[in-house]
Amino acid sequence: MSEIQAPKEIFQRLEADVVDQRVALEQISVALYKHLSDIKVGNIMLIGNSGTGKTTIMRAIERMFESNIGLGSFLNTIRLNANIVSNDESTETESSVIVERLHQNALKIMGDHPDPERFRQLMEHSVVFLDEVDKIRAYVGDKANPRGILAQEALLTLIEGEGISRPLTVKNADGTLVQHKVHIDTGRILFICGGAFEGLYDMVYRRVASGETKDKLIQEYVVAETQEDMEQKEHFSLHDYVRYEDMFDYGMTPQFLGRFDEVIVLNDLTIKGLMRIFIEPHNSLFREARRYFRSLGIELQVSKEGVREIAETAYDNHRLGARALRMVFKRVMRGIEFDPHTNYLVKDQGAKKVLTITREMVQRYS
């Protein structure tokens, strides 16, 4: 085990990169802590619209492993699109796509010093992130989806924990090559699957609003035009209402979904969250832009009003989530990046060149 002593420490590391997803990160941190402690842990299913942070979460996990010297046996992480897993009609081939990727990645990590025990650890301690898992649903509408059924069956075999043997060639001290057969328990691999699950929101809302189940829509009171006027407003959050039965109806088979301990719904991003994403993460758009302008001898700044305007404009394209930030910011910076010295620069008292992105600039160029 590493120097990480509690799930809260994992949460703090992930939160540096992932904004506005506190509840999801808490659940993921517990699962990762169990995985690092070699305690049996169920897998994780993430539900979230495009741009809400599914891929960002996986990248944050990768960075945590890479930056912690005590987590050397957990470096084997891969990201795959679920459609790649379901490309072949052979279930054996489908499951081996993941195993082969993990195998090759483990060899790359070990480099010129392959070792059977380290190889086993890298394989069994790996984390597999499958994106767009909603695309391998067992049926779409009233029609069966054979590829989805095959993919779920193949993944189920792997997730349940099949024992496999993988070849590893090791060079002895005398230069001779010896091939080992290393036994791998795939049941120790942690799977994090994610998808947008388009249509699930409407499907669950219809179920709850129908009144045919025990779930009832939450009614909350909000202030209308005056303090004396109050009106009732329905509150619906997919996180509060989604059930395993809804996932079955969507097309995820009970056998497959039964291997996931957590079904986590990511929050849709707020304007405040988009503002933080634009500024705070180590690889944020703003930090990237600052590095670029520093190479030109210019200090890039942005006013608080400018950040809010970028976030508000991106929020209008909510289906893109955080990706809308890049679209908006690139429109603003297109001409400025090419020729920042024309009409944009001011000098401070130290004669340092400063470029400040204001609300007016965002409105003008976005």
Side-chain angles (χ1 to χ4, degrees), residues 63-95:
R63 276 192 288 273
M64 181 184 72
F65 291 158
E66 292 167 358
S67 63
N68 190 323
I69 194 170
L71 298 180
S73 64
F74 294 87
L75 289 173
N76 198 4
T77 61
I78 61 172
R79 284 178 271 139
L80 293 171
N81 189 295
N83 281 326
I84 296 176
V85 180
S86 64
N87 271 345
D88 195 284
E89 296 205 2
S90 162
T91 57
E92 180 181 355
T93 301
E94 287 167 346
S95 60

PDB file of all heavy atoms in Angstrom, residues 63-95:
ATOM      1  N   ARG A  63      -3.090  10.529 -13.300  1.00  0.00           N
ATOM      2  CA  ARG A  63      -2.084  11.447 -12.762  1.00  0.00           C
ATOM      3  C   ARG A  63      -1.767  11.134 -11.299  1.00  0.00           C
ATOM      4  O   ARG A  63      -0.620  11.258 -10.859  1.00  0.00           O
ATOM      5  CB  ARG A  63      -2.546  12.890 -12.908  1.00  0.00           C
ATOM      6  CG  ARG A  63      -2.251  13.483 -14.281  1.00  0.00           C
ATOM      7  CD  ARG A  63      -2.457  14.983 -14.297  1.00  0.00           C
ATOM      8  NE  ARG A  63      -3.857  15.334 -14.235  1.00  0.00           N
ATOM      9  CZ  ARG A  63      -4.643  15.440 -15.304  1.00  0.00           C
ATOM     10  NH1 ARG A  63      -4.158  15.203 -16.503  1.00  0.00           N
ATOM     11  NH2 ARG A  63      -5.912  15.776 -15.189  1.00  0.00           N
ATOM     12  N   MET A  64      -2.789  10.725 -10.541  1.00  0.00           N
ATOM     13  CA  MET A  64      -2.556  10.375  -9.143  1.00  0.00           C
ATOM     14  C   MET A  64      -1.601   9.191  -9.035  1.00  0.00           C
ATOM     15  O   MET A  64      -0.676   9.193  -8.227  1.00  0.00           O
ATOM     16  CB  MET A  64      -3.883  10.046  -8.455  1.00  0.00           C
ATOM     17  CG  MET A  64      -3.728   9.690  -6.978  1.00  0.00           C
ATOM     18  SD  MET A  64      -5.287   9.187  -6.204  1.00  0.00           S
ATOM     19  CE  MET A  64      -5.503   7.562  -6.961  1.00  0.00           C
ATOM     20  N   PHE A  65      -1.798   8.180  -9.865  1.00  0.00           N
ATOM     21  CA  PHE A  65      -0.913   7.019  -9.858  1.00  0.00           C
ATOM     22  C   PHE A  65       0.512   7.411 -10.263  1.00  0.00           C
ATOM     23  O   PHE A  65       1.491   6.981  -9.660  1.00  0.00           O
ATOM     24  CB  PHE A  65      -1.433   5.942 -10.806  1.00  0.00           C
ATOM     25  CG  PHE A  65      -2.711   5.282 -10.347  1.00  0.00           C
ATOM     26  CD1 PHE A  65      -3.545   4.652 -11.256  1.00  0.00           C
ATOM     27  CD2 PHE A  65      -3.089   5.287  -9.011  1.00  0.00           C
ATOM     28  CE1 PHE A  65      -4.721   4.044 -10.849  1.00  0.00           C
ATOM     29  CE2 PHE A  65      -4.263   4.683  -8.585  1.00  0.00           C
ATOM     30  CZ  PHE A  65      -5.080   4.055  -9.515  1.00  0.00           C
ATOM     31  N   GLU A  66       0.605   8.240 -11.301  1.00  0.00           N
ATOM     32  CA  GLU A  66       1.916   8.611 -11.832  1.00  0.00           C
ATOM     33  C   GLU A  66       2.716   9.475 -10.861  1.00  0.00           C
ATOM     34  O   GLU A  66       3.946   9.409 -10.835  1.00  0.00           O
ATOM     35  CB  GLU A  66       1.752   9.357 -13.158  1.00  0.00           C
ATOM     36  CG  GLU A  66       1.234   8.473 -14.293  1.00  0.00           C
ATOM     37  CD  GLU A  66       0.792   9.287 -15.491  1.00  0.00           C
ATOM     38  OE1 GLU A  66       0.847  10.534 -15.418  1.00  0.00           O
ATOM     39  OE2 GLU A  66       0.392   8.677 -16.507  1.00  0.00           O
ATOM     40  N   SER A  67       2.029  10.282 -10.056  1.00  0.00           N
ATOM     41  CA  SER A  67       2.717  11.226  -9.178  1.00  0.00           C
ATOM     42  C   SER A  67       2.999  10.662  -7.790  1.00  0.00           C
ATOM     43  O   SER A  67       3.623  11.333  -6.968  1.00  0.00           O
ATOM     44  CB  SER A  67       1.889  12.515  -9.040  1.00  0.00           C
ATOM     45  OG  SER A  67       0.632  12.242  -8.429  1.00  0.00           O
ATOM     46  N   ASN A  68       2.563   9.440  -7.528  1.00  0.00           N
ATOM     47  CA  ASN A  68       2.747   8.832  -6.210  1.00  0.00           C
ATOM     48  C   ASN A  68       3.687   7.641  -6.339  1.00  0.00           C
ATOM     49  O   ASN A  68       3.326   6.614  -6.907  1.00  0.00           O
ATOM     50  CB  ASN A  68       1.386   8.395  -5.647  1.00  0.00           C
ATOM     51  CG  ASN A  68       1.475   7.973  -4.188  1.00  0.00           C
ATOM     52  OD1 ASN A  68       2.451   7.370  -3.770  1.00  0.00           O
ATOM     53  ND2 ASN A  68       0.455   8.300  -3.416  1.00  0.00           N
ATOM     54  N   ILE A  69       4.896   7.775  -5.803  1.00  0.00           N
ATOM     55  CA  ILE A  69       5.905   6.735  -5.961  1.00  0.00           C
ATOM     56  C   ILE A  69       5.478   5.409  -5.340  1.00  0.00           C
ATOM     57  O   ILE A  69       5.929   4.341  -5.746  1.00  0.00           O
ATOM     58  CB  ILE A  69       7.253   7.217  -5.359  1.00  0.00           C
ATOM     59  CG1 ILE A  69       8.388   6.310  -5.824  1.00  0.00           C
ATOM     60  CG2 ILE A  69       7.176   7.282  -3.832  1.00  0.00           C
ATOM     61  CD1 ILE A  69       9.773   6.845  -5.475  1.00  0.00           C
ATOM     62  N   GLY A  70       4.578   5.472  -4.361  1.00  0.00           N
ATOM     63  CA  GLY A  70       4.125   4.250  -3.719  1.00  0.00           C
ATOM     64  C   GLY A  70       3.073   3.492  -4.492  1.00  0.00           C
ATOM     65  O   GLY A  70       2.626   2.419  -4.064  1.00  0.00           O
ATOM     66  N   LEU A  71       2.650   4.020  -5.642  1.00  0.00           N
ATOM     67  CA  LEU A  71       1.598   3.382  -6.426  1.00  0.00           C
ATOM     68  C   LEU A  71       2.142   2.792  -7.727  1.00  0.00           C
ATOM     69  O   LEU A  71       1.438   2.713  -8.726  1.00  0.00           O
ATOM     70  CB  LEU A  71       0.481   4.396  -6.732  1.00  0.00           C
ATOM     71  CG  LEU A  71      -0.246   4.979  -5.527  1.00  0.00           C
ATOM     72  CD1 LEU A  71      -1.329   5.958  -5.970  1.00  0.00           C
ATOM     73  CD2 LEU A  71      -0.848   3.885  -4.659  1.00  0.00           C
ATOM     74  N   GLY A  72       3.402   2.380  -7.703  1.00  0.00           N
ATOM     75  CA  GLY A  72       4.035   1.889  -8.922  1.00  0.00           C
ATOM     76  C   GLY A  72       3.368   0.680  -9.535  1.00  0.00           C
ATOM     77  O   GLY A  72       3.409   0.494 -10.757  1.00  0.00           O
ATOM     78  N   SER A  73       2.733  -0.157  -8.712  1.00  0.00           N
ATOM     79  CA  SER A  73       2.086  -1.355  -9.251  1.00  0.00           C
ATOM     80  C   SER A  73       0.681  -1.072  -9.784  1.00  0.00           C
ATOM     81  O   SER A  73      -0.004  -1.983 -10.258  1.00  0.00           O
ATOM     82  CB  SER A  73       2.022  -2.463  -8.180  1.00  0.00           C
ATOM     83  OG  SER A  73       1.200  -2.065  -7.097  1.00  0.00           O
ATOM     84  N   PHE A  74       0.251   0.203  -9.700  1.00  0.00           N
ATOM     85  CA  PHE A  74      -1.087   0.578 -10.162  1.00  0.00           C
ATOM     86  C   PHE A  74      -1.041   1.475 -11.402  1.00  0.00           C
ATOM     87  O   PHE A  74      -2.030   2.112 -11.741  1.00  0.00           O
ATOM     88  CB  PHE A  74      -1.854   1.286  -9.040  1.00  0.00           C
ATOM     89  CG  PHE A  74      -2.157   0.416  -7.864  1.00  0.00           C
ATOM     90  CD1 PHE A  74      -1.242   0.288  -6.832  1.00  0.00           C
ATOM     91  CD2 PHE A  74      -3.341  -0.291  -7.785  1.00  0.00           C
ATOM     92  CE1 PHE A  74      -1.499  -0.523  -5.736  1.00  0.00           C
ATOM     93  CE2 PHE A  74      -3.626  -1.105  -6.693  1.00  0.00           C
ATOM     94  CZ  PHE A  74      -2.696  -1.219  -5.666  1.00  0.00           C
ATOM     95  N   LEU A  75       0.106   1.524 -12.052  1.00  0.00           N
ATOM     96  CA  LEU A  75       0.278   2.440 -13.184  1.00  0.00           C
ATOM     97  C   LEU A  75      -0.428   1.992 -14.460  1.00  0.00           C
ATOM     98  O   LEU A  75      -0.573   2.765 -15.389  1.00  0.00           O
ATOM     99  CB  LEU A  75       1.775   2.610 -13.492  1.00  0.00           C
ATOM    100  CG  LEU A  75       2.590   3.414 -12.476  1.00  0.00           C
ATOM    101  CD1 LEU A  75       4.073   3.334 -12.823  1.00  0.00           C
ATOM    102  CD2 LEU A  75       2.136   4.858 -12.443  1.00  0.00           C
ATOM    103  N   ASN A  76      -0.883   0.755 -14.491  1.00  0.00           N
ATOM    104  CA  ASN A  76      -1.443   0.209 -15.727  1.00  0.00           C
ATOM    105  C   ASN A  76      -2.911   0.624 -15.874  1.00  0.00           C
ATOM    106  O   ASN A  76      -3.822  -0.037 -15.391  1.00  0.00           O
ATOM    107  CB  ASN A  76      -1.324  -1.311 -15.726  1.00  0.00           C
ATOM    108  CG  ASN A  76      -1.480  -1.896 -17.121  1.00  0.00           C
ATOM    109  OD1 ASN A  76      -1.611  -1.170 -18.104  1.00  0.00           O
ATOM    110  ND2 ASN A  76      -1.464  -3.211 -17.203  1.00  0.00           N
ATOM    111  N   THR A  77      -3.139   1.742 -16.517  1.00  0.00           N
ATOM    112  CA  THR A  77      -4.496   2.226 -16.763  1.00  0.00           C
ATOM    113  C   THR A  77      -4.692   2.393 -18.258  1.00  0.00           C
ATOM    114  O   THR A  77      -3.794   2.851 -18.960  1.00  0.00           O
ATOM    115  CB  THR A  77      -4.751   3.571 -16.070  1.00  0.00           C
ATOM    116  OG1 THR A  77      -3.841   4.550 -16.587  1.00  0.00           O
ATOM    117  CG2 THR A  77      -4.552   3.472 -14.574  1.00  0.00           C
ATOM    118  N   ILE A  78      -5.857   2.016 -18.744  1.00  0.00           N
ATOM    119  CA  ILE A  78      -6.158   2.189 -20.161  1.00  0.00           C
ATOM    120  C   ILE A  78      -7.547   2.786 -20.321  1.00  0.00           C
ATOM    121  O   ILE A  78      -8.416   2.606 -19.457  1.00  0.00           O
ATOM    122  CB  ILE A  78      -6.076   0.866 -20.957  1.00  0.00           C
ATOM    123  CG1 ILE A  78      -7.092  -0.157 -20.434  1.00  0.00           C
ATOM    124  CG2 ILE A  78      -4.666   0.299 -20.921  1.00  0.00           C
ATOM    125  CD1 ILE A  78      -7.196  -1.405 -21.300  1.00  0.00           C
ATOM    126  N   ARG A  79      -7.723   3.513 -21.416  1.00  0.00           N
ATOM    127  CA  ARG A  79      -9.024   4.089 -21.755  1.00  0.00           C
ATOM    128  C   ARG A  79      -9.432   3.577 -23.129  1.00  0.00           C
ATOM    129  O   ARG A  79      -8.682   3.691 -24.087  1.00  0.00           O
ATOM    130  CB  ARG A  79      -8.968   5.616 -21.759  1.00  0.00           C
ATOM    131  CG  ARG A  79      -8.962   6.221 -20.386  1.00  0.00           C
ATOM    132  CD  ARG A  79      -8.858   7.735 -20.438  1.00  0.00           C
ATOM    133  NE  ARG A  79      -7.466   8.171 -20.436  1.00  0.00           N
ATOM    134  CZ  ARG A  79      -6.995   9.156 -21.173  1.00  0.00           C
ATOM    135  NH1 ARG A  79      -7.779   9.805 -22.001  1.00  0.00           N
ATOM    136  NH2 ARG A  79      -5.736   9.510 -21.091  1.00  0.00           N
ATOM    137  N   LEU A  80     -10.627   3.023 -23.210  1.00  0.00           N
ATOM    138  CA  LEU A  80     -11.136   2.486 -24.466  1.00  0.00           C
ATOM    139  C   LEU A  80     -12.567   2.956 -24.687  1.00  0.00           C
ATOM    140  O   LEU A  80     -13.304   3.189 -23.739  1.00  0.00           O
ATOM    141  CB  LEU A  80     -11.131   0.945 -24.460  1.00  0.00           C
ATOM    142  CG  LEU A  80      -9.789   0.218 -24.437  1.00  0.00           C
ATOM    143  CD1 LEU A  80     -10.022  -1.264 -24.216  1.00  0.00           C
ATOM    144  CD2 LEU A  80      -9.035   0.446 -25.731  1.00  0.00           C
ATOM    145  N   ASN A  81     -12.937   3.063 -25.964  1.00  0.00           N
ATOM    146  CA  ASN A  81     -14.332   3.286 -26.297  1.00  0.00           C
ATOM    147  C   ASN A  81     -15.023   1.930 -26.360  1.00  0.00           C
ATOM    148  O   ASN A  81     -14.496   0.979 -26.950  1.00  0.00           O
ATOM    149  CB  ASN A  81     -14.435   4.016 -27.645  1.00  0.00           C
ATOM    150  CG  ASN A  81     -15.843   4.461 -27.941  1.00  0.00           C
ATOM    151  OD1 ASN A  81     -16.748   3.644 -28.119  1.00  0.00           O
ATOM    152  ND2 ASN A  81     -16.054   5.766 -28.011  1.00  0.00           N
ATOM    153  N   ALA A  82     -16.184   1.834 -25.750  1.00  0.00           N
ATOM    154  CA  ALA A  82     -16.892   0.547 -25.704  1.00  0.00           C
ATOM    155  C   ALA A  82     -17.188   0.018 -27.098  1.00  0.00           C
ATOM    156  O   ALA A  82     -17.284  -1.199 -27.297  1.00  0.00           O
ATOM    157  CB  ALA A  82     -18.184   0.683 -24.901  1.00  0.00           C
ATOM    158  N   ASN A  83     -17.336   0.904 -28.086  1.00  0.00           N
ATOM    159  CA  ASN A  83     -17.591   0.443 -29.450  1.00  0.00           C
ATOM    160  C   ASN A  83     -16.420  -0.355 -30.005  1.00  0.00           C
ATOM    161  O   ASN A  83     -16.601  -1.264 -30.823  1.00  0.00           O
ATOM    162  CB  ASN A  83     -17.877   1.640 -30.366  1.00  0.00           C
ATOM    163  CG  ASN A  83     -19.295   2.150 -30.207  1.00  0.00           C
ATOM    164  OD1 ASN A  83     -20.205   1.369 -29.957  1.00  0.00           O
ATOM    165  ND2 ASN A  83     -19.481   3.450 -30.332  1.00  0.00           N
ATOM    166  N   ILE A  84     -15.201  -0.040 -29.575  1.00  0.00           N
ATOM    167  CA  ILE A  84     -14.031  -0.799 -30.017  1.00  0.00           C
ATOM    168  C   ILE A  84     -14.098  -2.213 -29.473  1.00  0.00           C
ATOM    169  O   ILE A  84     -13.778  -3.182 -30.157  1.00  0.00           O
ATOM    170  CB  ILE A  84     -12.733  -0.103 -29.546  1.00  0.00           C
ATOM    171  CG1 ILE A  84     -12.603   1.266 -30.211  1.00  0.00           C
ATOM    172  CG2 ILE A  84     -11.512  -0.961 -29.834  1.00  0.00           C
ATOM    173  CD1 ILE A  84     -11.408   2.065 -29.743  1.00  0.00           C
ATOM    174  N   VAL A  85     -14.541  -2.323 -28.227  1.00  0.00           N
ATOM    175  CA  VAL A  85     -14.650  -3.634 -27.609  1.00  0.00           C
ATOM    176  C   VAL A  85     -15.659  -4.507 -28.345  1.00  0.00           C
ATOM    177  O   VAL A  85     -15.534  -5.722 -28.404  1.00  0.00           O
ATOM    178  CB  VAL A  85     -15.051  -3.489 -26.128  1.00  0.00           C
ATOM    179  CG1 VAL A  85     -15.175  -4.844 -25.459  1.00  0.00           C
ATOM    180  CG2 VAL A  85     -14.033  -2.631 -25.403  1.00  0.00           C
ATOM    181  N   SER A  86     -16.682  -3.896 -28.948  1.00  0.00           N
ATOM    182  CA  SER A  86     -17.758  -4.667 -29.586  1.00  0.00           C
ATOM    183  C   SER A  86     -17.608  -4.749 -31.101  1.00  0.00           C
ATOM    184  O   SER A  86     -18.540  -5.101 -31.795  1.00  0.00           O
ATOM    185  CB  SER A  86     -19.118  -4.037 -29.255  1.00  0.00           C
ATOM    186  OG  SER A  86     -19.213  -2.741 -29.808  1.00  0.00           O
ATOM    187  N   ASN A  87     -16.417  -4.478 -31.623  1.00  0.00           N
ATOM    188  CA  ASN A  87     -16.253  -4.464 -33.071  1.00  0.00           C
ATOM    189  C   ASN A  87     -16.289  -5.836 -33.705  1.00  0.00           C
ATOM    190  O   ASN A  87     -16.632  -5.997 -34.863  1.00  0.00           O
ATOM    191  CB  ASN A  87     -14.935  -3.778 -33.451  1.00  0.00           C
ATOM    192  CG  ASN A  87     -15.120  -2.290 -33.628  1.00  0.00           C
ATOM    193  OD1 ASN A  87     -16.233  -1.818 -33.731  1.00  0.00           O
ATOM    194  ND2 ASN A  87     -14.022  -1.556 -33.627  1.00  0.00           N
ATOM    195  N   ASP A  88     -15.879  -6.850 -32.970  1.00  0.00           N
ATOM    196  CA  ASP A  88     -15.794  -8.185 -33.539  1.00  0.00           C
ATOM    197  C   ASP A  88     -16.943  -9.024 -33.016  1.00  0.00           C
ATOM    198  O   ASP A  88     -17.382  -8.840 -31.884  1.00  0.00           O
ATOM    199  CB  ASP A  88     -14.459  -8.837 -33.162  1.00  0.00           C
ATOM    200  CG  ASP A  88     -14.154 -10.057 -34.006  1.00  0.00           C
ATOM    201  OD1 ASP A  88     -14.774 -11.090 -33.749  1.00  0.00           O
ATOM    202  OD2 ASP A  88     -13.281  -9.969 -34.888  1.00  0.00           O
ATOM    203  N   GLU A  89     -17.406  -9.973 -33.790  1.00  0.00           N
ATOM    204  CA  GLU A  89     -18.541 -10.793 -33.375  1.00  0.00           C
ATOM    205  C   GLU A  89     -18.110 -11.964 -32.494  1.00  0.00           C
ATOM    206  O   GLU A  89     -18.928 -12.700 -31.993  1.00  0.00           O
ATOM    207  CB  GLU A  89     -19.300 -11.302 -34.597  1.00  0.00           C
ATOM    208  CG  GLU A  89     -19.916 -10.171 -35.394  1.00  0.00           C
ATOM    209  CD  GLU A  89     -21.119 -10.631 -36.191  1.00  0.00           C
ATOM    210  OE1 GLU A  89     -21.476 -11.817 -36.075  1.00  0.00           O
ATOM    211  OE2 GLU A  89     -21.692  -9.817 -36.910  1.00  0.00           O
ATOM    212  N   SER A  90     -16.823 -12.138 -32.312  1.00  0.00           N
ATOM    213  CA  SER A  90     -16.327 -13.194 -31.441  1.00  0.00           C
ATOM    214  C   SER A  90     -16.202 -12.672 -30.026  1.00  0.00           C
ATOM    215  O   SER A  90     -15.462 -11.739 -29.765  1.00  0.00           O
ATOM    216  CB  SER A  90     -14.958 -13.686 -31.927  1.00  0.00           C
ATOM    217  OG  SER A  90     -14.299 -14.392 -30.908  1.00  0.00           O
ATOM    218  N   THR A  91     -16.912 -13.278 -29.073  1.00  0.00           N
ATOM    219  CA  THR A  91     -16.833 -12.814 -27.697  1.00  0.00           C
ATOM    220  C   THR A  91     -15.431 -12.992 -27.139  1.00  0.00           C
ATOM    221  O   THR A  91     -14.973 -12.206 -26.321  1.00  0.00           O
ATOM    222  CB  THR A  91     -17.839 -13.582 -26.806  1.00  0.00           C
ATOM    223  OG1 THR A  91     -17.586 -14.982 -26.901  1.00  0.00           O
ATOM    224  CG2 THR A  91     -19.247 -13.289 -27.222  1.00  0.00           C
ATOM    225  N   GLU A  92     -14.713 -14.022 -27.599  1.00  0.00           N
ATOM    226  CA  GLU A  92     -13.347 -14.226 -27.130  1.00  0.00           C
ATOM    227  C   GLU A  92     -12.466 -13.062 -27.551  1.00  0.00           C
ATOM    228  O   GLU A  92     -11.654 -12.550 -26.787  1.00  0.00           O
ATOM    229  CB  GLU A  92     -12.803 -15.537 -27.700  1.00  0.00           C
ATOM    230  CG  GLU A  92     -11.378 -15.833 -27.248  1.00  0.00           C
ATOM    231  CD  GLU A  92     -10.842 -17.121 -27.833  1.00  0.00           C
ATOM    232  OE1 GLU A  92     -11.606 -17.827 -28.517  1.00  0.00           O
ATOM    233  OE2 GLU A  92      -9.647 -17.419 -27.609  1.00  0.00           O
ATOM    234  N   THR A  93     -12.646 -12.619 -28.791  1.00  0.00           N
ATOM    235  CA  THR A  93     -11.859 -11.493 -29.279  1.00  0.00           C
ATOM    236  C   THR A  93     -12.210 -10.225 -28.529  1.00  0.00           C
ATOM    237  O   THR A  93     -11.338  -9.419 -28.205  1.00  0.00           O
ATOM    238  CB  THR A  93     -12.094 -11.287 -30.783  1.00  0.00           C
ATOM    239  OG1 THR A  93     -11.729 -12.474 -31.477  1.00  0.00           O
ATOM    240  CG2 THR A  93     -11.276 -10.135 -31.314  1.00  0.00           C
ATOM    241  N   GLU A  94     -13.481 -10.043 -28.237  1.00  0.00           N
ATOM    242  CA  GLU A  94     -13.892  -8.819 -27.558  1.00  0.00           C
ATOM    243  C   GLU A  94     -13.228  -8.689 -26.196  1.00  0.00           C
ATOM    244  O   GLU A  94     -12.715  -7.627 -25.845  1.00  0.00           O
ATOM    245  CB  GLU A  94     -15.423  -8.795 -27.417  1.00  0.00           C
ATOM    246  CG  GLU A  94     -16.133  -8.525 -28.730  1.00  0.00           C
ATOM    247  CD  GLU A  94     -17.615  -8.804 -28.639  1.00  0.00           C
ATOM    248  OE1 GLU A  94     -18.047  -9.433 -27.671  1.00  0.00           O
ATOM    249  OE2 GLU A  94     -18.341  -8.406 -29.559  1.00  0.00           O
ATOM    250  N   SER A  95     -13.231  -9.758 -25.408  1.00  0.00           N
ATOM    251  CA  SER A  95     -12.617  -9.673 -24.089  1.00  0.00           C
ATOM    252  C   SER A  95     -11.109  -9.547 -24.207  1.00  0.00           C
ATOM    253  O   SER A  95     -10.469  -8.881 -23.392  1.00  0.00           O
ATOM    254  CB  SER A  95     -12.981 -10.906 -23.246  1.00  0.00           C
ATOM    255  OG  SER A  95     -12.522 -12.088 -23.876  1.00  0.00           O
TER     256      SER A  95
END
